[in-house]
Amino acid sequence: MDVFGVGIGPFNLSVAALLHPLQELRQVFADSKPDFRWHDGLLFDDSTLQVSHMKDLVTLADPTSPFSFIAFLAKTKRLYRFIYADFPRASRREFNQYFRWVSESLPSIRFDTKVEAISLDGETLKIETSRGEYRTRRVVLGTGLTPFIPACAEVFLGPNVFHASNYLHMRFDPRGKRIAVIGGGQTSAEIISQLMLDADAMPHELHWISRRSNYLPLDESAFTNEFFTPAYCEHFYTLPAQERSRLLEEQYLAGNGISPALLLSLYRRMYELEFLHGRKRPCNLLPGTTLTGMERGADRESYVLTTQTMSNLHGQGLQKLEVDAVILCTGWEYSLPACLSPLASRIDRGAGMFAVRPDFSLEWDGPDHLQFYVQNAARHTHGIAEPNLSVMAWRGGKIANSIAGRTVYDIDHMSSVFDWHAHTAARIAEIEHA
């Protein structure tokens, strides 16, 4: 086996699609799921991409690929209808259909196949799966992120306390409940939108708790979008680690804000509910507030949240809030896949993060001809775009080129409005002389 992919999310699906024309490479991509699923607990009917539909699995590496979103529209006989519908952004539900279509079109895809362990076996990597063993020279890790659960909430997880990623799976009925939504990003805004969708099935109380100073918009302006280009990712990689950390904080809202259209929709909905439906204040907004503790209420069914408020709007200090349900929109984090445990000590993970090369391969102390590649775990080396669909095809192309050992996809030296090369040299000189 030339390459084995662990996990089949959009990112590894991109690599699989870009590797497909290279028939000389023996390749398998495996996932324990029964079929392709992309945040299926959050696939609301009105949820849209935050990026252009051109940022699909392959187009920005190979516009001629038969696995593009446009090819999917044509194959499913809806291309004209999609054009004339003039959607501002494609829906996430339709993009999920597109991903499923690609996954069903690739012979290298293996669902219902759990990767149990990866170990070094002489001059090859041994992959133990629920459907047998494989030997390979390269592994592409695309296992994705896991939901982050605040420590104070872990013991209460269940039908009324859960991470937002499970929202649609829980078949949650908000009617008449006191509900707290924790988080200030896109996911929390979408959950709030769902909870206010039906005026006749509203929560009795709805509290939106966010550490951010306000419900802040995604920065989608043209110059900010340059952070989501190959040129900027390559520039970012050359910067000193301290500078990269500073920039990740500074640019946070460029990748983690709320879509302006959704913010406007929420504001309008709150207006409608208050003044047209007589709901008074339909949502209690609590920005600048951090969840610090959680305990059972006196009735043993409710939950008492302890929050630390830093905003002058609500007065500083600790506050108590009793609710019937808590929805955690607290983000995701990367954790080392369990199947890598046999080799964990041999893979460089300074400060808990992988040492990632420019081609997304990892530093490790094994044989040079055996390689690991990583997806969605290199934000610290490649910038805020790394977890985003924006550079998915470019990164897939980089990995495909590296695996092939030649330039299959001409994706280097992409144009940018900024001269990042000159900026890099000037910034490094400035830091060195500080």
Side-chain angles (χ1 to χ4, degrees):
M1 190 68 59
D2 293 294
V3 56
F4 190 98
V6 183
I8 306 173
F11 296 156
N12 259 7
L13 192 58
S14 171
V15 174
L18 290 167
L19 284 176
H20 176 72
L22 308 182
Q23 293 299 304
E24 70 275 15
L25 296 179
R26 296 165 299 163
Q27 49 194 280
V28 166
F29 288 77
D31 198 298
S32 60
K33 298 191 299 288
D35 50 30
F36 187 90
R37 299 176 185 183
W38 182 49
H39 295 310
D40 50 328
L42 289 166
L43 279 182
F44 304 122
D45 287 340
D46 57 351
S47 294
T48 61
L49 298 180
Q50 289 187 293
V51 299
S52 165
H53 63 266
M54 297 290 286
K55 296 179 176 181
D56 62 17
L57 296 169
V58 293
T59 294
L60 295 181
D62 179 11
T64 67
S65 171
F67 301 114
S68 69
F69 180 65
I70 297 299
F72 160 75
L73 294 175
K75 193 73 173 179
T76 54
K77 307 299 183 182
R78 64 179 90 169
L79 181 55
Y80 281 97
R81 295 282 299 277
F82 181 84
I83 293 170
Y84 298 148
D86 197 23
F87 296 111
R89 290 281 167 84
S91 74
R92 288 214 305 262
R93 186 174 291 276
E94 186 162 31
F95 239 61
N96 188 60
Q97 290 181 356
Y98 157 60
F99 290 151
R100 289 175 68 94
W101 173 76
V102 174
S103 73
E104 292 163 0
S105 304
L106 293 170
S108 60
I109 298 298
R110 306 281 189 278
F111 287 112
D112 274 322
T113 304
K114 182 180 180 181
V115 179
E116 296 169 341
I118 302 174
S119 58
L120 183 61
D121 186 13
E123 292 299 302
T124 65
L125 293 166
K126 182 171 75 171
I127 314 292
E128 299 174 57
T129 81
S130 58
R131 292 178 177 266
E133 292 184 358
Y134 295 84
R135 298 291 192 282
T136 187
R137 292 184 294 145
R138 304 175 188 89
V139 170
V140 185
L141 299 170
T143 51
L145 307 180
T146 55
F148 173 75
I149 307 296
C152 64
E154 286 181 352
V155 69
F156 299 111
L157 291 178
N160 289 312
V161 179
F162 54 88
H163 193 270
S165 58
N166 291 318
Y167 185 84
L168 291 177
H169 301 152
M170 303 302 290
R171 301 186 182 280
F172 180 70
D173 184 1
R175 197 183 316 254
K177 289 186 171 72
R178 298 168 296 175
I179 300 173
V181 175
I182 314 297
Q186 179 74 9
T187 299
S188 68
E190 291 183 1
I191 295 292
I192 291 290
S193 178
Q194 294 301 307
L195 292 172
M196 297 193 302
L197 201 58
D198 185 351
D200 297 323
M202 286 275 295
H204 177 63
E205 294 177 8
L206 180 56
H207 308 276
W208 189 2
I209 298 171
S210 171
R211 289 183 298 181
R212 301 180 189 183
S213 61
N214 203 337
Y215 303 96
L216 301 171
L218 182 75
D219 185 348
E220 299 179 287
S221 58
F223 292 104
T224 294
N225 278 338
E226 284 283 330
F227 297 148
F228 297 87
T229 62
Y232 183 75
C233 290
E234 291 169 343
H235 155 72
F236 188 90
Y237 188 89
T238 65
L239 296 173
Q242 183 177 359
E243 178 73 354
R244 294 200 301 260
S245 296
R246 184 190 70 80
L247 287 171
L248 287 175
E249 289 191 22
E250 180 182 295
Q251 299 165 2
Y252 186 77
L253 287 175
N256 291 278
I258 303 170
S259 295
L262 179 55
L263 284 174
L264 181 58
S265 174
L266 285 173
Y267 195 95
R268 287 172 173 170
R269 185 57 177 159
M270 292 177 190
Y271 178 96
E272 292 168 352
L273 288 169
E274 184 169 353
F275 296 110
L276 306 184
H277 293 272
R279 297 287 308 193
K280 295 189 177 179
R281 191 62 59 86
C283 183
N284 181 28
L285 302 176
L286 295 167
T289 302
T290 302
L291 176 68
T292 59
M294 188 170 171
E295 57 189 20
R296 284 283 186 187
D299 60 4
R300 308 305 299 166
E301 293 186 1
S302 61
Y303 306 92
V304 177
L305 309 184
T306 303
T307 62
Q308 176 74 46
T309 304
M310 303 305 295
S311 170
N312 290 329
L313 180 63
H314 303 288
Q316 297 183 5
L318 294 175
Q319 308 287 334
K320 298 286 186 179
L321 180 65
E322 188 167 4
V323 297
D324 303 308
V326 180
I327 303 175
L328 301 165
C329 306
T330 44
W332 287 260
E333 61 184 352
Y334 188 88
S335 57
L336 190 73
C339 62
L340 269 186
S341 295
L343 295 175
S345 63
R346 306 193 65 174
I347 298 174
D348 190 346
R349 295 190 75 216
M353 296 180 287
F354 291 122
V356 186
R357 301 184 183 113
D359 64 354
F360 296 93
S361 63
L362 300 182
E363 299 281 356
W364 79 301
D365 69 359
D368 290 340
H369 69 283
L370 303 180
Q371 296 170 313
F372 292 92
Y373 297 87
V374 69
Q375 307 224 57
N376 205 355
R379 187 172 176 268
H380 59 294
T381 56
H382 287 74
I384 59 168
E386 207 273 335
N388 192 280
L389 296 183
S390 293
V391 295
M392 172 170 62
W394 169 75
R395 180 182 53 211
K398 293 282 282 189
I399 293 172
N401 285 347
S402 180
I403 289 172
R406 59 188 175 88
T407 302
V408 180
Y409 299 104
D410 184 10
I411 53 176
D412 291 330
H413 311 297
M414 294 292 186
S415 175
S416 171
V417 70
F418 295 106
D419 185 353
W420 292 120
H421 178 75
H423 181 78
T424 299
R427 185 58 182 148
I428 291 175
E430 179 183 331
I431 292 171
E432 290 175 346
H433 289 88

